[in-house]
Amino acid sequence: MHTALLACSVVTHYLPEQSSAAEGLYAFAYTLTLRNTGPAAAQVIARHWVIQDGAGHVENVRGLAVVGQQPLIKPGGQFEYTSWTRIATPRGTMRGTLFCITENAHWFELPIPAFELSQSQALH
């Protein structure tokens, strides 16, 4: 049982300047906001993303840190970062897990529910 509780929200944006329909490349930025709603500081150590395009192709991305950082989020604090990905179709999904540790060395996983990557978002 962990003593920190991180909540997350995600906002995505289509990146037309990084995309090429002719080459089958569609780029999307995503901004992830993590808020610490628990009583203990928590640090993000690593991540695992599952990115799926509209044709069903799945890419797994694993690694230490997020955008080169392992942020320590104090109770009541938040950390926000923006990154991006490319898929081969105008629509897909992305979901993942952040691997975290509390200040008193309790490991926990923060699941990131699936969110949509969609070219049509640029119109709204």
Side-chain angles (χ1 to χ4, degrees):
M1 187 79 174
H2 59 80
T3 54
L5 181 60
L6 295 179
C8 72
S9 60
V10 181
V11 177
T12 62
H13 300 283
Y14 175 62
L15 300 173
E17 65 282 358
Q18 302 294 326
S19 302
S20 170
E23 297 176 48
L25 294 173
Y26 298 86
F28 300 90
Y30 57 93
T31 299
L32 190 72
T33 303
L34 301 169
R35 287 177 308 286
N36 187 335
T37 58
Q43 187 168 20
V44 178
I45 302 299
R47 85 264 186 224
H48 173 211
W49 289 112
V50 179
I51 306 160
Q52 183 170 351
D53 68 20
H57 176 266
V58 175
E59 180 182 1
N60 284 278
V61 178
R62 297 175 190 269
L64 288 173
V66 289
V67 293
Q69 299 180 55
Q70 293 182 324
L72 179 65
I73 308 167
K74 296 190 181 304
Q78 76 174 33
F79 177 77
E80 181 177 282
Y81 75 92
T82 300
S83 191
W84 67 290
T85 189
R86 272 202 269 209
I87 57 176
T89 60
R91 197 169 178 162
T93 60
M94 190 167 163
R95 63 183 163 82
T97 305
L98 297 181
F99 301 94
C100 307
I101 191 169
T102 66
E103 63 189 342
N104 33 350
H106 292 281
W107 286 96
F108 67 98
E109 295 181 3
L110 176 66
I112 310 295
F115 53 92
E116 191 171 322
L117 305 171
S118 176
Q119 183 182 13
S120 65
Q121 290 170 332
L123 305 176
H124 300 293

